[in-house]
């Protein structure tokens, strides 16, 4: 029998049967599968069903064929790795698991919402779980919106004979309205973080719903402002301009989350706080013996645990190269005076091996293995004591590897930099055992949302007061001077909106934001179609130190020009990792094409323009 359900398959509602010690790990594999015949006769039934929604979010651990590596922005303008998405080389797929997964998840959300309407007990005792269903329905529709634009809206539990299965796509504006409506329902019923019991920590909170709604509002306001209707599958769908209202509400919601002091930027490891934020696990995961309890920055997260639920994605091995930054990313980092590398008088250039790392943003050494850095790592002697009592400062932390130099002699895809973000240096973790949490929403993003929305509302201007309330707190953690209007005024190449966007690139690197940002700002073609460059090997016609020196550890040349067949960029002296001639990103690539199987199942589904 031909499958008529455009979601492709029905989803049984999965429930997590959690014991008190396991409640906080909401991404545990289901211990039991509850069918749709389950009787929702008590509040704990609703709780169990809502707990099953948390693995719907893309996290480290593969779920339903999802892959975290599809969502780390590898292949963008900021990474040296090449992808067909970044090059504009993707084609219409026969099928798309992310379409199928999202609609299966939405059906589960709808089912719980429907069950709530027939519950004979107290509505108050299930309100939190019904509100979570609204939150996750919004989450899944936003996921679809970013990939495809307008999609079919289904807000009830349907069967194979329902006419809606063969209906047309809803417009992006209708989908956005539904997302915002669902989030209002979630905000109205979710508990504040402080009201969530210790055994239930990790469940979605009121603040998470507000922060997520602010994210959606900023995304859609900028998309409608800078992209407009150019990507709509049919023109003339937009009925009203809501950009100002969206910017205003985004700033207001972000302000509310910022003001309640429930969350704080993680700053427990000095200039390496940014690095350890993303690898914080047990007391052995860092030199000061901190645990995840020290991290108050994550507003919503996917939780992992070495004993109960490991990441299982070989993160440290894969991301060290997959997220290796490009020359563009390296140059975007600030100097300590708060100015970009290209204009700062503190910039040392590229001649010496370590020159570009001098006087720089602390986030740079948090994502890069800088030459000569002393650091510890996996492979330490078994049984070594890495407790806080024995190692209380970064300077006393065990030195396992005493010198690192960029490998430019054996792999032409290596830009000369290795990524550290999400890369564990835990002495007792093997591949696939990484167990730190993945941030779905964190406070730093809320600061960025606030600043960007206020700047947009100000026509490209924002007060120093608003900057101090938001992104200057991020810059303080990065050990760079505050962003002020006076700081950038002397430089014609710098704008306030541009600097706020720079902060998003630096702070949210590898967190599934870069492609979305470039598209919603309407600049993806301009940015993605540039040559991707790596390490600088020539300055003013003369070789840099990296091009001539010998690695003191391996005793071999750091750089072999024969490996880099694409040559050197004349303007910058940097290695060419992918030439502009290979990059054909166009307006049609702002949205992915609907997969062929869905078009065959429902002939009223219009394909996205250009495909």
């Amino acid at each position: 029998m031909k499958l008529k359900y455009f979601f492709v398959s029905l989803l049984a509602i999965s429930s997590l049967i959690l014991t008190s010690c396991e409640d906080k790990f909401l991404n545990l594999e289901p211990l039991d599968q509850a069918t749709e015949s389950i009787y929702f006769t008590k509040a704990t039934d609703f709780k169990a069903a809502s707990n099953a929604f948390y693995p719907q979010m893309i996290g480290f651990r593969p779920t339903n064929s999802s892959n975290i590596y599809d969502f780390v922005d590898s292949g963008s303008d900021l990474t040296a790795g090449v992808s067909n998405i970044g090059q504009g080389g993707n084609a219409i797929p026969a099928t798309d698991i992310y379409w199928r997964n999202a609609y299966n998840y939405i059906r589960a959300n709808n089912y719980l919402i429907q069950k709530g309407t027939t519950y004979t007990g107290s509505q108050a005792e299930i309100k939190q779980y019904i509100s979570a269903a609204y939150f996750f329905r919004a989450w899944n529709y936003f996921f679809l919106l970013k990939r495809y634009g307008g999609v079919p809206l289904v807000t009830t539990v349907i069967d194979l004979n329902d006419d809606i299965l063969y209906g047309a796509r809803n417009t992006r504006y209708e989908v956005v309205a539904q997302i915002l409506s669902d989030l209002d329902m979630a905000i109205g019923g979710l508990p504040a973080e402080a009201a969530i019991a210790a055994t239930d920590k990790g469940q979605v909170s009121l603040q998470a719903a507000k922060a997520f709604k602010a994210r959606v509002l900023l995304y859609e306001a900028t998309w409608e402002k800078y992209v407009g209707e150019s990507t709509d599958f049919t023109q003339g769908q937009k009925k009203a301009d809501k950009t100002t209202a969206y910017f205003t509400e985004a700033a207001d919601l972000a302000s509310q989350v910022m003001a309640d002091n429930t969350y704080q930027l993680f700053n427990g490891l000095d200039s390496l706080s940014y690095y350890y934020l993303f690898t914080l696990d047990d007391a052995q995961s860092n030199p000061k013996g901190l645990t995840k309890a020290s991290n108050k920055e994550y507003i919503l997260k996917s939780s992992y645990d070495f004993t109960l639920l490991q990441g299982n994605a070989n993160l440290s091995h894969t991301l060290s190269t997959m997220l290796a930054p490009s020359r563009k990313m390296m140059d975007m980092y600030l100097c300590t005076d708060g100015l970009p590398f290209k204009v700062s008088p503190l910039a040392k250039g590229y001649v010496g091996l370590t020159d570009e790392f001098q006087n720089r943003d602390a986030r740079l050494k948090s994502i890069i293995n800088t030459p000569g850095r002393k650091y510890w790592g996996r492979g330490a002697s078994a049984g070594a004591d890495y407790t806080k009592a024995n190692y209380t400062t970064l300077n006393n932390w065990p030195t396992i590897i005493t010198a690192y130099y960029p490998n430019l002699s054996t792999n032409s895809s290596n830009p000369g930099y290795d990524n550290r973000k999400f890369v564990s240096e835990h002495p007792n973790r093997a591949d696939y055992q990484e167990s730190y949490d993945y941030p779905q929403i964190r406070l730093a993003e809320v600061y960025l949302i606030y600043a960007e929305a206020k700047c947009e509302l100000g026509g490209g201007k924002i007060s120093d007061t608003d900057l101090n309330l938001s992104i200057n707190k991020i810059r303080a953690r990065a050990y760079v001077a505050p962003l002020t209007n006076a700081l950038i005024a002397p430089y014609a190449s710098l704008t306030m909106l541009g600097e706020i966007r720079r902060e998003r690139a630096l702070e949210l690197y590898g967190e599934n934001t870069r492609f979305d940002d470039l598209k919603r700002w309407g600049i993806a073609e301009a940015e993605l179609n540039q040559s991707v460059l790596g390490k600088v090997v020539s300055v003013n016609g003369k070789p840099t130190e990296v091009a001539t020196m010998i690695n003191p550890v391996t005793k071999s040349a750091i750089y072999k020009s024969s490996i880099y067949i694409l040559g050197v960029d004349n303007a910058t002296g940097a290695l060419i990792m992918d030439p502009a001639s290979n990059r054909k990103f166009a307006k049609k690539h702002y949205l992915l094409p609907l997969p062929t199987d869905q078009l065959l199942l429902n002939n009223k589904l219009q394909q996205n323009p250009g495909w």
Side-chain angles (χ1 to χ4, degrees):
M1 172 178 165
K2 182 178 178 182
L3 183 62
K4 297 179 179 179
Y5 193 22
F6 73 77
F7 308 155
V8 179
S9 63
L10 295 172
L11 181 70
I13 305 294
S14 24
S15 68
L16 289 174
I17 310 303
L18 301 176
T19 64
S20 59
C21 67
E22 293 171 336
D23 280 347
K24 57 188 175 181
F25 298 109
L26 295 174
N27 278 359
L28 286 172
E29 297 287 6
L31 303 181
D32 188 19
Q33 294 292 325
T35 69
E36 292 185 11
S37 62
I38 189 172
Y39 292 98
F40 285 80
T41 60
K42 51 188 181 299
T44 52
D45 295 336
F46 287 87
K47 179 180 181 180
S50 69
N51 280 345
F53 297 154
Y54 291 85
Q56 294 178 359
M57 301 183 292
I58 301 294
F60 292 142
R61 191 175 182 86
T63 303
N64 294 335
S65 300
S66 67
N67 188 337
I68 184 61
Y69 302 123
D70 292 336
F71 299 96
V72 293
D73 285 336
S74 177
S76 75
D77 56 326
L78 302 184
T79 67
V82 177
S83 74
N84 60 2
I85 296 293
Q87 289 179 317
N90 55 306
I92 300 174
T95 186
D96 187 341
I97 60 169
Y98 296 113
W99 175 284
R100 299 198 309 273
N101 286 349
Y103 275 113
N104 280 331
Y105 298 155
I106 288 166
R107 190 173 195 279
N109 306 146
N110 289 341
Y111 190 77
L112 189 59
I113 292 170
Q114 177 179 292
K115 283 296 182 181
T117 64
T118 60
Y119 182 57
T120 58
S122 168
Q123 287 292 313
E125 65 182 3
I126 66 169
K127 186 176 183 180
Q128 174 182 353
Y129 312 121
I130 300 300
S131 298
Y134 280 109
F135 176 89
F136 282 105
R137 188 168 72 181
W139 186 274
N140 291 315
Y141 271 122
F142 187 55
F143 178 87
L144 288 168
L145 178 81
K146 291 191 298 179
R147 286 179 75 83
Y148 309 110
V151 294
L153 278 174
V154 182
T155 57
T156 59
V157 180
I158 57 180
D159 60 41
L160 297 182
N161 296 316
D162 284 334
D163 290 340
I164 194 171
L165 295 177
Y166 310 102
R169 298 170 65 175
N170 289 84
T171 70
R172 73 173 295 114
Y173 314 101
E174 291 169 334
V175 174
V176 169
Q178 184 63 54
I179 293 169
L180 298 179
S181 175
D182 282 351
L183 288 174
D184 285 339
M185 294 294 290
I187 289 169
L190 287 170
E193 181 69 39
I196 298 175
T199 53
D200 289 333
K201 286 300 184 185
Q203 291 183 345
V204 63
S205 67
L206 169 65
Q207 293 96 326
K210 288 182 176 180
F212 180 51
K213 187 178 182 186
R215 176 193 288 178
V216 173
L217 288 163
L218 180 68
Y219 178 91
E220 185 60 18
T222 48
W223 187 285
E224 293 187 24
K225 178 176 180 178
Y226 295 109
V227 182
E229 298 180 73
S230 61
T231 58
D232 291 351
F233 57 86
T234 299
Q235 297 301 297
Q237 296 177 357
K238 186 175 181 179
K239 304 304 181 185
D241 186 355
K242 298 183 178 180
T243 54
T244 298
Y246 286 170
F247 283 133
T248 301
E249 188 177 1
D252 180 60
L253 287 169
S255 178
Q256 291 178 40
V257 177
M258 291 156 51
D260 73 10
N261 295 320
T262 299
Y263 308 95
Q264 298 91 38
L265 292 181
F266 176 75
N267 206 17
L269 284 134
D270 307 317
S271 63
L272 286 176
S273 293
Y274 184 83
Y275 166 70
Y276 286 108
L277 170 65
F278 302 104
T279 58
L280 198 62
D281 192 348
D282 61 16
Q284 294 189 37
S285 67
N286 63 90
K288 291 189 177 181
L290 302 182
T291 66
K292 293 179 181 180
S294 300
N295 179 8
K296 307 297 184 184
E297 183 168 336
Y298 289 0
I299 298 173
L300 181 65
K301 63 188 178 183
S302 293
S303 299
Y304 300 95
D305 179 78
F306 180 71
T307 302
L308 297 172
L309 189 76
Q310 296 172 11
N312 196 34
N314 203 12
L315 301 167
S316 300
H317 177 80
T318 305
L319 291 179
S320 61
T321 53
M322 192 173 189
L323 280 182
S326 65
R327 171 81 272 134
K328 179 178 179 178
M329 179 65 174
M330 294 294 293
D331 289 345
M332 287 183 75
Y333 280 99
L334 304 163
C335 288
T336 53
D337 59 4
L339 290 170
F341 188 74
K342 292 294 187 182
V343 301
S344 173
L346 299 181
K348 297 296 185 181
Y350 312 98
V351 174
L353 183 70
T354 64
D355 284 355
E356 65 178 301
F357 302 104
Q358 305 302 311
N359 307 321
R360 299 298 294 278
D361 187 324
R363 287 171 294 193
L364 181 56
K365 67 177 181 178
S366 284
I367 75 150
I368 291 296
N369 287 320
T370 55
R373 178 177 74 87
K374 294 183 179 182
Y375 69 104
W376 69 284
R378 292 182 295 164
S381 300
D385 188 349
Y386 295 108
T387 63
K388 181 178 179 181
N390 285 348
Y391 302 100
T392 57
T393 69
L394 291 176
N395 291 334
N396 291 334
W397 194 242
T399 301
I400 304 303
I401 299 177
T402 59
Y404 170 84
Y405 293 89
N407 182 5
L408 291 171
S409 61
T410 61
N411 186 346
S412 61
S413 66
N414 188 330
Y417 307 102
D418 277 352
N419 169 64
R420 292 182 75 193
K421 188 167 181 178
F422 295 120
V423 173
S424 175
E425 294 175 2
H426 195 295
N428 296 311
R429 293 286 189 266
D431 290 342
Y432 292 95
Q433 292 183 340
E434 297 94 341
S435 304
Y436 30 90
D437 296 338
Y438 178 74
Q440 299 290 351
I441 305 173
R442 59 187 180 95
L443 181 60
E445 184 194 353
V446 176
Y447 288 141
L448 291 162
I449 290 171
Y450 178 82
E452 185 178 346
K454 295 293 283 189
C455 193
E456 288 283 4
L457 288 168
K461 298 179 180 180
I462 183 174
S463 70
D464 288 350
T465 298
D466 280 331
L467 290 169
N468 289 335
L469 286 172
S470 55
I471 62 174
N472 281 337
K473 295 182 179 181
I474 302 173
R475 289 165 72 105
R477 176 169 65 185
Y479 286 70
V480 296
L483 175 62
T484 66
N485 285 277
L487 178 70
I488 65 173
Y491 303 95
S493 62
L494 303 183
T495 66
M496 188 57 74
L497 190 58
E499 292 310 294
I500 291 171
R501 290 178 174 182
R502 181 197 304 273
E503 284 295 329
R504 278 192 68 91
L506 301 180
E507 184 65 26
L508 301 180
Y509 181 66
E511 296 180 55
N512 191 28
T513 60
R514 185 58 176 176
F515 280 117
D516 291 338
D517 286 344
L518 292 179
K519 289 185 286 187
R520 69 184 177 87
W521 294 331
I523 60 173
E525 303 99 314
E527 300 300 320
L528 290 172
N529 288 336
Q530 301 174 20
S531 294
V532 177
L533 307 177
K535 195 80 174 180
V536 174
V537 295
S538 176
V539 173
N540 296 326
K542 298 181 179 180
T544 62
E545 184 178 6
V546 74
T548 58
M549 75 174 294
I550 302 299
N551 184 323
V553 177
T554 65
K555 309 303 181 183
S556 61
I558 286 178
Y559 169 57
K560 291 182 180 179
S561 60
S562 60
I563 296 294
Y564 292 86
I565 59 175
L566 295 174
V568 177
D569 179 65
N570 292 330
T572 64
L575 296 172
I576 298 174
M577 312 309 297
D578 193 40
S581 58
N582 285 348
R583 307 181 71 83
K584 309 293 183 182
F585 198 91
K587 185 67 70 177
K588 77 171 187 176
H589 296 111
Y590 277 49
L591 296 175
L592 293 180
L594 273 61
T596 302
D597 62 348
Q598 301 305 321
L599 298 174
L600 292 175
L601 289 168
N602 179 2
N603 60 17
K604 290 185 180 179
L605 290 179
Q606 294 176 255
Q607 183 60 278
N608 278 325
W611 293 99

